[in-house]
Amino acid sequence: MTATVLTEGTAVPRRIRWADMGPFIALAIVILVGVMLNSSFLSGTNIANVVTRSAFVAIIAVGATFVISSGGLDLSVGSMMAFVTGIMILAMNRLEPSMGANAIWLGAGIGLVVGALCGLLNGLIVTVGRIEPFIATLGTMGIFRALITWMSDGGSIPIDRALREPYRPVYFGNVLGVPLPVILTLIVVLIGAFILYRTKYGRRCMAAGSNAEVARFSGVSVARVRTMAFVIQGICVAIAAICYIPRLGAATPTTGQLWELQVITAVVIGGTALRGGKARVWGTVAGALILEVIANLMVLSNMVSEYLVAAVQGVIIILAMLAHRFIK
């Protein structure tokens, strides 16, 4: 029998966990299929369009990674997105006559506060009210969607014309050729990865999702950890709303519709365990890109109707769950 002796200073070889590489391998395969189906897939314009459109889901999905890894679930993110967007536009329109373009900054700040409060509401209902996250956020999903419908009177809430031009670069602008929403997404992902992997809160978040009882006996306030995860989710929704407004310039009752499906699918594809206790922030970003690339291919190839995008996403999340169970 032989043994390997490791002396001081000897590097320990790191094994590649192919399960963790799965989202990135899948993304590479989808991109390869895209190149084979349509030669214009890799054009600069199309790639910029894909990564920019995926920014909204990716940012919200970073927050969802915190919620899901802590043992929760948020079905209200799409409706919350619509509600926060509506509040921001109303605030900006009200402030514009006295503040001009500066109303954009104050409106964005108001949006972040409202998003955090929406997340806090979800968190308190789950932790203090002791209601299952699925039921709690299903209820707030209806509340947020009803509020934006009431605020818009069933129509739309457009941003003031005087604000459209100064606000336009937030979505359509770029730095050294990189779209601003992509840069903002990278910042959110880096901060999210640092919090989850390098801070005490991140470790407590995954401990709460892995085994809540053991975490409590270890001195972790599971209720506080999970509530904070929902607040982070709300802040991420608000950041996505800040990027989203200049794209269409209005909030409607259908804004963010079915985004909860895309967000949860991106998180699950990325390798975060739906039962909690395991988080993969960078995998979540890969999951969001996979969904957007597939939707883009459906439009470019004309092989499948673009109206079936939601159906394809539903199939993907089922396959991802089956893959998780097979790997386990």
Side-chain angles (χ1 to χ4, degrees), residues 162-231:
L163 295 175
R164 292 184 181 181
E165 195 60 34
Y167 202 166
R168 181 179 172 84
V170 174
Y171 179 78
F172 295 99
N174 66 82
V175 176
L176 300 177
V178 181
L180 280 177
V182 176
I183 295 175
L184 187 57
T185 301
L186 288 174
I187 294 172
V188 171
V189 173
L190 288 171
I191 294 174
F194 176 79
I195 293 173
L196 265 179
Y197 303 142
R198 300 295 182 183
T199 67
K200 185 182 294 184
Y201 172 77
R203 293 190 292 272
R204 290 178 174 178
C205 192
M206 285 184 272
S210 179
N211 192 316
E213 291 303 317
V214 171
R216 288 191 184 95
F217 283 124
S218 301
V220 176
S221 176
V222 175
R224 185 179 301 173
V225 167
R226 287 179 175 171
T227 300
M228 182 56 65
F230 278 102
V231 172

Side-chain angles (χ1 to χ4, degrees), residues 6 25 105 110 119 177 201 220 228 258 272 299 305:
L6 296 178
I25 296 173
W105 296 101
I110 292 172
Y201 172 77
V220 176
M228 182 56 65
L258 292 180
T272 297
V299 175
S305 172

